[in-house]
């Protein structure tokens, strides 16, 4: 992790982890606005827990634990929307004109088969265990290095790698069972 | 139409992020903004936030404890802590609890020892037991002990079965080898019978020659006697003036006798380890054993031959009989070569044969080879020794040497 040990204040911790936290939450909620709101709520809880003093070494684990709870709370509070399939929800978001997306970057402009693949992926991710899903998302969607993934999950690095490998293997299997052809990647594991 | 090929999952997820609005510009959170948000809340809301964080932390700790006990094999403690984690809504805790409950149910099935048979109740721990101090239930330990014993017993039974199979296979191999040896022995007997018949014919013809000595009765030799005895008889034949053909047959006969002896005395069991290393086939082993035995026996034969050879009544130049034709190499011991050469000297002097410039001599002990041209006509007797003769005197003769033995080759070719 890139945290400077000489600057272990909550301020530096927030600066280092904020964008990763938002990206992780974003993958679990429909919009960036919702993700930003939830992230602020998470940081408030952390602030109430830790105050202004030095932060403990395992704070990333608590941070993402709180984030998972907040996301779950949001889904519980939005039961009506949660009952809608995620694919439909995603399509709805794409249709929403107010969605902040740069021209040429919206899902609507993706090739149709890629949209299908993304939708399939959205359906598959919930079939992974919580930890497999978290490991895959943190590593490949959020873009964290393995040590940060392990810290966020509160596990050893080898365990984080194992969750990633299992998650990727499951996704590949399920995608191929759904009729998609996946090219073999040379970068299997970080 | 072929289905389009998608990038691998990591690339697919990265593309998803690129097409999401994750990286859309937004004001970053800082400690100042978070503090401002917190200060805007009521004391009750702030207290609720602190309790929220404590619940999450407690749930994560309970989840960690459950996993620790699960790794130690303490299913009961693991189940209790996972249940606590579930109450505090720790992510993944419910799945872990279900896994542990399935394990507990599996261990309770018939065939898996339970505490009603083996000892204390599942949740009971012995107060001063080391295992209990480590948090490992006696239930798990007892079950592990039974499992270890069962695995050990199975492995022992399997090993015994393997040994039994090996013994059966070994017995079959020995039987095959003994069969092969019997076949070789029978063949040697048949060959020897043919030689004896030929010898009888030759002797009969020899006895009919004017002035020939009679009474050389190779055909009376007993095949059941040891090879040394056969050789002694052959040597006796030569010393008593038996015809060269008789002597040749005697040599052949001696070799066959050796083959019989080697086959009969082969101790296959003692060489059984050679079967097991499988470096050669069973047939090869029999052949190899025969060869080894025959060679060791030929060492003794050689001691007889060194007396046998010089006592030959060399026919060349005397009665114009055909030269002696020996079929193969004859082996004598290296230790006996001096006696051989000395007797050849005596033979040469007695018969006044012309010799080459490299007449064997004790003075030539620094030479490698001694060549004796016995008659200058058709037959030459060649001796190879390590320290006799001159290499230059042996330009063309085919020589053979075998592991310190001296090979004597008789060449009758012109």
């Amino acid at each position: 992790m890139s945290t400077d040990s000489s600057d272990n204040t909550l301020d530096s911790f927030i600066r280092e982890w904020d964008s990763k936290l938002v990206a992780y939450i974003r993958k679990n909620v429909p919009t960036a606005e919702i993700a930003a709101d939830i992230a602020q709520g998470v940081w408030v809880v952390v602030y109430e827990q830790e105050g202004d003093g030095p932060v403990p070494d395992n704070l990333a684990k608590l941070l993402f634990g709180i984030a998972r709870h907040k996301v779950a709370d949001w889904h519980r509070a939005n039961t009506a929307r949660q009952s809608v399939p995620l694919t439909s929800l995603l399509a709805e978001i794409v249709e929403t004109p107010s969605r902040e997306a740069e021209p040429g970057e919206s899902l609507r402009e993706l090739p149709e088969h890629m949209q299908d693949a993304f939708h399939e992926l959205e359906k598959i991710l919930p079939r992974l265990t919580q930890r497999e899903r978290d490991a895959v998302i943190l590593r490949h969607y959020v873009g964290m290095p393995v040590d940060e993934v392990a810290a966020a999950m509160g596990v050893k690095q080898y365990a984080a790698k194992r969750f990633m490998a299992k998650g990727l293997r499951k996704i590949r299997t399920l995608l191929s069972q759904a009729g998609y052809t996946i090219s073999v990647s040379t970068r299997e594991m970080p | 139409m072929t289905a389009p090929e998608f990038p691998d999952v990591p690339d697919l997820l990265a593309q998803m992020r690129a097409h999401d609005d994750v990286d859309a510009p937004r004001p970053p959170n800082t400690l100042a903004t978070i503090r401002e948000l917190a200060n805007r809340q009521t004391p009750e809301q702030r207290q609720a936030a602190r309790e929220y964080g404590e619940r999450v932390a407690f749930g994560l700790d309970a989840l960690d404890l459950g996993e620790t006990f699960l790794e130690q094999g303490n299913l009961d403690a693991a189940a209790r802590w996972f249940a606590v984690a579930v109450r505090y809504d720790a992510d993944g805790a419910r799945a872990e609890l279900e896994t542990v409950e399935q394990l507990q149910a599996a261990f309770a099935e018939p065939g898996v020892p339970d505490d009603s048979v083996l000892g204390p109740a599942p949740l009971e721990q012995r107060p001063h037991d080391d295992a209990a101090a480590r948090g490992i239930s006696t239930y798990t330990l007892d079950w592990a002990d039974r499992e270890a014993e069962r695995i050990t017993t199975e492995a022992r039974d399997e090993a015994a079965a393997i040994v039994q199979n090996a013994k059966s296979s070994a017995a079959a191999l020995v039987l095959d080898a003994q069969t092969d040896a019997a076949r070789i022995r029978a063949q040697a007997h048949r060959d020897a019978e043919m030689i004896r018949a030929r010898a009888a014919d030759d002797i009969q013809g020899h006895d009919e020659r004017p002035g020939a000595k009679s009474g050389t009765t190779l055909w009376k030799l007993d095949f059941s006697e040891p090879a040394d005895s056969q050789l002694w008889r052959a040597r006796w034949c030569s010393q008593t003036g038996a015809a060269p053909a008789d002597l040749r047959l005697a040599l052949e006969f001696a070799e066959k006798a050796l083959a019989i002896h080697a086959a009969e005395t082969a101790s296959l069991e003692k060489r059984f380890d050679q079967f097991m290393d499988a470096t050669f086939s069973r047939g090869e082993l029999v052949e190899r054993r025969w060869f080894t035995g025959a060679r060791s026996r030929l060492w003794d034969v050689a001691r007889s031959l060194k007396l046998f050879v010089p006592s030959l009544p060399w026919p060349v130049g005397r009665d114009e009989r055909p030269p002696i034709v020996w079929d193969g190499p004859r082996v004598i011991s290296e230790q006996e070569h001096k006696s051989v050469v000395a007797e050849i000297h005596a033979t040469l002097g007695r018969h006044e044969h012309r010799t080459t410039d490299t007449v064997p001599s004790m003075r030539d002990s620094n030479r490698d080879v001694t060549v004796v041209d016995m008659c200058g006509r058709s037959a030459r007797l060649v001796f190879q020794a390590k320290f006799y003769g001159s290499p230059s005197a042996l330009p063309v003769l085919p020589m053979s040497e075998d592991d310190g033995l001296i090979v004597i080759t008789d060449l009758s070719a012109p």
Side-chain angles (χ1 to χ4, degrees):
Chain A
M1 282 175 284
S2 59
T3 304
D4 187 353
S5 61
S6 63
D7 186 16
N8 60 344
T9 62
L10 185 60
D11 187 40
S12 63
F13 184 82
I14 292 172
R15 292 178 192 279
E16 180 184 353
W17 287 91
D18 183 55
S19 61
K20 299 163 187 169
L21 177 69
V22 172
Y24 171 75
I25 297 171
R26 171 65 185 88
K27 193 72 200 77
N28 291 279
V29 295
T31 67
E33 291 82 2
I34 297 171
D37 288 345
I38 293 176
Q40 280 191 337
V42 171
W43 283 124
V44 168
V45 173
V46 171
Y47 173 76
E48 294 294 350
Q49 282 287 113
E50 303 299 330
D52 290 341
V55 298
D57 291 338
N58 61 347
L59 187 57
K61 175 184 175 184
L62 179 64
L63 174 71
F64 282 85
I66 294 170
R68 281 191 290 271
H69 274 73
K70 286 290 185 181
V71 168
D73 292 343
W74 183 89
H75 282 292
R76 275 194 291 270
N78 295 270
T79 309
R81 293 180 64 86
Q82 196 177 20
S83 63
V84 178
L86 203 53
T87 51
S88 303
L89 195 60
L90 192 61
E92 179 189 340
I93 295 163
V94 171
E95 298 284 344
T96 304
S98 61
R99 183 168 181 261
E100 294 178 4
E102 293 294 324
E105 288 187 352
S106 70
L107 286 175
R108 193 187 313 189
E109 296 186 8
L110 276 175
E112 188 176 348
H113 70 278
M114 286 298 289
Q115 289 192 44
D116 290 343
F118 286 175
H119 294 171
E120 195 66 35
L121 199 55
E122 291 287 2
K123 285 195 292 184
I124 286 172
L125 282 173
R127 298 173 66 177
L128 274 56
T129 67
Q130 174 72 46
R131 291 191 157 183
E132 291 167 355
R133 187 165 62 247
D134 277 354
V136 170
I137 289 174
L138 290 173
R139 177 72 184 98
H140 298 296
Y141 183 87
V142 178
M144 286 183 183
V146 176
D147 58 342
E148 287 187 358
V149 172
M153 295 178 66
V155 298
K156 303 286 187 187
Q157 288 194 30
Y158 73 87
K161 288 182 179 178
R162 192 173 65 236
F163 288 131
M164 285 177 217
K166 287 181 68 176
L168 287 178
R169 194 161 53 242
K170 276 188 187 176
I171 294 172
R172 290 188 185 113
T173 302
L174 293 170
L175 278 176
S176 64
Q177 286 176 355
Y180 293 94
T181 305
I182 306 295
S183 64
V184 177
S185 173
T186 54
R187 55 183 187 94
E188 175 69 16
M189 285 297 294
Chain B
M1 179 179 171
T2 57
E5 185 168 314
F6 295 107
D8 200 2
V9 177
D11 297 324
L12 207 55
L13 284 165
Q15 289 190 29
M16 284 185 79
R17 175 182 170 128
H19 287 279
D20 283 344
D21 50 359
V22 174
D23 299 318
R26 64 173 180 83
N29 292 313
T30 63
L31 180 61
T33 58
I34 298 302
R35 184 188 294 126
E36 186 181 342
L37 280 174
N39 290 336
R40 271 194 243 152
Q41 294 182 330
T42 64
E44 291 77 14
Q45 288 175 321
R46 298 188 67 171
Q47 178 62 29
R50 278 193 290 274
E51 291 176 356
Y52 191 96
E54 287 171 359
R55 284 180 60 85
V56 172
F58 194 33
L60 292 174
D61 289 343
L63 190 64
D64 284 347
L65 277 170
E67 288 174 343
T68 301
F69 281 114
L70 182 60
E71 288 175 357
Q72 293 174 351
N74 189 342
L75 299 182
D76 304 314
R80 285 199 301 273
W81 282 110
F82 282 141
V84 171
V86 168
R87 282 202 300 276
Y88 286 92
D89 297 323
D91 285 314
R94 182 162 298 282
E96 297 283 6
L97 180 59
E98 290 172 356
T99 301
V100 171
E101 287 172 346
Q102 288 173 355
L103 285 173
Q104 287 177 315
F107 288 148
E109 289 176 357
V112 178
D114 58 51
D115 287 345
S116 63
V117 177
L118 297 177
L123 294 180
E124 183 178 345
Q125 293 188 356
R126 295 165 186 163
H128 299 294
D129 185 58
D130 287 343
R134 294 197 305 271
I136 304 172
S137 76
T138 53
Y139 169 88
T140 307
L141 286 179
D142 289 340
W143 181 82
D145 287 344
R146 289 295 184 93
E147 276 298 288
E149 181 63 26
R150 183 185 62 79
I151 292 170
T152 303
T153 304
E154 288 180 358
R156 192 182 296 119
D157 292 344
E158 188 177 356
I162 291 171
V163 170
Q164 184 58 39
N165 288 337
K167 285 180 178 177
S168 301
S169 301
L173 289 173
V174 170
L175 183 62
D176 289 348
Q178 287 174 337
T179 303
D180 289 342
R183 180 179 54 78
I184 292 171
R185 186 170 62 241
Q187 183 61 42
H189 272 287
R190 286 193 293 272
D191 292 346
E193 285 289 349
M194 292 178 60
I195 292 171
R196 184 169 66 172
R198 287 167 52 195
D201 293 343
D202 288 349
I203 289 168
Q204 182 67 26
H206 175 71
D207 289 344
E208 292 172 355
R209 293 176 184 273
K213 292 182 179 179
S214 62
T216 305
T217 54
L218 275 176
W219 55 274
K220 291 181 179 178
L221 293 177
D222 186 356
F223 286 101
S224 63
E225 293 185 11
D228 284 345
S229 175
Q230 308 294 347
L231 263 294
W232 184 87
R233 292 190 181 210
R235 189 180 64 193
W236 177 81
C237 290
S238 68
Q239 289 172 338
T240 55
D246 300 338
L247 301 176
R248 170 172 56 83
L249 290 174
L251 283 172
E252 292 178 358
F253 181 80
E255 286 189 354
K256 295 299 179 185
L258 283 175
I260 296 168
H261 181 75
E264 287 177 340
T265 58
S267 177
L268 296 177
E269 289 79 8
K270 290 181 180 177
R271 297 297 183 96
F272 182 72
D273 55 336
Q274 297 185 33
F275 280 98
M276 301 311 289
D277 65 16
T279 54
F280 39 79
S281 68
R282 294 195 297 273
E284 287 172 340
L285 177 67
V286 172
E287 185 180 357
R288 185 168 167 156
R289 282 192 50 74
W290 180 88
F291 179 74
T292 303
R295 203 162 78 173
S296 65
R297 298 297 303 164
L298 281 172
W299 186 273
D300 294 334
V301 173
R303 295 173 185 274
S304 299
L305 285 176
K306 65 100 178 176
L307 297 175
F308 179 93
V309 172
S311 63
L312 281 172
W314 301 107
V316 180
R318 300 188 64 180
D319 54 6
E320 298 300 326
R321 294 179 63 176
I324 300 170
V325 178
W326 288 357
D327 294 334
R330 300 292 181 263
V331 183
I332 66 171
S333 70
E334 188 172 0
Q335 287 79 0
E336 305 293 344
H337 65 277
K338 292 180 180 179
S339 300
V340 171
V341 173
E343 292 192 43
I344 287 175
H345 269 297
T347 303
L348 291 174
R350 203 164 47 240
H351 297 290
E352 296 178 349
H353 283 300
R354 181 171 59 86
T355 64
T356 65
D357 293 336
T358 56
V359 172
S361 168
M362 298 302 289
R363 294 189 301 273
D364 295 331
S365 60
N366 61 334
R367 295 183 177 182
D368 293 331
V369 180
T370 295
V371 177
V372 180
D373 187 341
M374 297 298 295
C375 60
R377 294 169 58 184
S378 61
R380 289 181 299 179
L381 188 62
V382 179
F383 292 86
Q384 179 187 359
K386 284 188 176 178
F387 42 88
Y388 276 94
S390 169
S392 61
L394 190 66
V396 294
L397 296 175
M399 307 293 293
S400 60
E401 184 176 3
D402 189 1
D403 296 339
L405 300 179
I406 299 172
V407 179
I408 304 170
T409 303
D410 176 76
L411 298 175
S412 59

